Amino acid sequence: DEEIVANRNILLAYGDGKAKFVSTRATAMISNDRALVRRLWNPGAQAFWPQGPEDPMIVTIVATPSDAQYWDGPGAVLRAVRFAAALATGRSADMGEEAKVKL
């Protein structure tokens, strides 16, 4: 949270563990909204915050996205083959579909 106070620009990155990825640039802010903490609370959080959702040390990070980029590429084996073929031929590798979106 101290880093967000110093610089509100963040990057959120998600992947399915295979070949699909999304990254989102956003502006973040720290919120002490107890109602929001309670709404987002789940039993797994209890291991980190034994005092529960009313623990004053718990904050939420609220992110407002500005743009996003996704990539849907081939699986790891095919990606490696395409990369090797590109190196061997001196051409660009076809690493899948990619797009940018303004939000």
Side-chain angles (χ1 to χ4, degrees):
D1 58 339
E2 292 170 355
E3 291 179 22
I4 290 173
V5 170
N7 183 353
R8 295 182 55 204
N9 298 310
I10 63 170
L11 176 71
L12 304 169
Y14 309 91
D16 70 353
K18 297 175 187 165
K20 294 180 177 136
F21 304 92
V22 173
S23 65
T24 303
R25 285 192 294 180
T27 303
M29 65 176 252
I30 302 298
S31 172
N32 289 305
D33 182 343
R34 302 323 310 158
L36 179 59
V37 171
R38 284 190 297 276
R39 192 173 88 228
L40 297 173
W41 187 260
N42 66 63
Q46 196 75 31
F48 298 97
W49 296 285
Q51 293 179 4
E54 300 307 319
D55 184 336
M57 295 299 294
I58 300 172
V59 296
T60 56
I61 299 171
V62 179
T64 304
S66 58
D67 60 73
Q69 183 172 5
Y70 78 89
W71 177 55
D72 184 0
V77 174
L78 185 54
R79 195 169 47 239
V81 169
R82 287 182 179 178
F83 184 74
L87 286 175
T89 62
R91 296 187 177 143
S92 294
D94 175 11
M95 300 305 273
E97 185 179 345
E98 179 268 338
K100 294 180 182 179
V101 179
K102 278 285 191 201
L103 302 173

